[in-house]
Amino acid sequence: MPEPIAFMDHAFIPARDAKVSILEPTFTKSDAVYDTLSVWKGLFFRLDDHLDRFARSCAKMELKPPYSRDETSRILAECIERSGYDDACVTVIATRGPFESLENRDLRSCKNG
């Protein structure tokens, strides 16, 4: 049976297990960017356009995702493959990430995800 899959902290996991800490600016300040893509019969619709828009949004928010565009594309494809879905909506999200230390809440010190 198909199951939604997430990729988080360098690992593929069931989407129900994907969590963000309530201490992260991602949660407290909605400090993230996202784009949602359609998959039909196992193929992404206008993947390059979506990845272009995602990259522009990340740049405007000064987020630096830990994966290149090609790596992101492969991760998205593998999420679909592992999920077992042929038709799906896929959301790619870049987060500000956690603070290096809660004593220093400088957003520039966050580990982007």
Side-chain angles (χ1 to χ4, degrees):
M1 178 167 199
E3 177 181 24
I5 297 295
F7 184 82
M8 188 170 190
D9 297 329
H10 315 290
F12 292 94
I13 59 174
R16 69 179 173 278
D17 295 337
K19 310 268 190 288
V20 174
S21 169
I22 63 168
L23 300 175
E24 283 189 25
T26 302
F27 179 80
T28 61
K29 300 181 184 330
S30 299
D31 201 355
V33 300
Y34 71 93
D35 202 310
T36 301
L37 305 86
S38 295
V39 176
W40 185 66
K41 294 187 179 183
L43 301 173
F44 284 93
F45 178 73
R46 299 181 70 169
L47 178 61
D48 288 333
D49 291 340
H50 284 280
L51 292 178
D52 287 345
R53 181 173 48 223
F54 183 69
R56 285 192 307 271
S57 296
C58 287
K60 287 181 182 179
M61 292 291 292
E62 297 183 13
L63 293 174
K64 294 179 175 74
Y67 302 100
S68 71
R69 179 190 179 100
D70 288 342
E71 289 169 322
T72 299
S73 180
R74 286 192 294 275
I75 290 166
L76 293 172
E78 189 163 343
C79 282
I80 288 299
E81 183 178 319
R82 287 174 179 243
S83 76
Y85 287 105
D86 290 327
D87 303 326
C89 288
V90 178
T91 302
V92 58
I93 304 169
T95 67
R96 182 70 55 197
F99 293 107
E100 285 182 2
S101 155
L102 290 178
E103 289 79 39
N104 175 13
R105 294 188 182 205
D106 183 341
L107 293 175
R108 295 170 294 183
S109 72
C110 290
K111 179 184 170 199
N112 294 180

